[in-house]
Amino acid sequence: MEPTLLIGGTADKVWDSRIAASLRHDVLEVPSADHGLELADDAAGLVEVLGQVVSRLDRFIGSLGG
């Protein structure tokens, strides 16, 4: 199985936490984030979410060794 990072938000209608967890991939689930990983009426929270995503991507890419 190839390394895979799944990122989704709990307010996204197509995101399913149970399925993501069952796939045994690396998962970043963002509470209250929609499909675009945005938080309703929370610009400061969006900046925090983007920071989390970039940090997780950095760790994930670093773990690939290359």
Side-chain angles (χ1 to χ4, degrees):
M1 178 169 57
E2 294 296 321
T4 304
L5 173 61
L6 304 173
I7 302 174
T10 60
D12 181 351
K13 294 175 184 171
V14 298
W15 177 256
D16 188 318
S17 300
R18 291 175 297 167
I19 291 174
S22 74
L23 296 175
R24 298 184 181 168
H25 294 301
D26 193 5
V27 176
L28 171 60
E29 183 172 84
V30 182
S32 302
D34 64 15
H35 190 73
L37 298 177
E38 295 181 279
L39 304 172
D41 301 319
D42 187 359
L46 174 59
V47 172
E48 185 177 323
V49 167
L50 292 175
Q52 291 174 8
V53 170
V54 169
S55 177
R56 181 60 73 90
L57 282 169
D58 185 50
R59 285 197 319 263
F60 177 74
I61 292 168
S63 74
L64 298 178

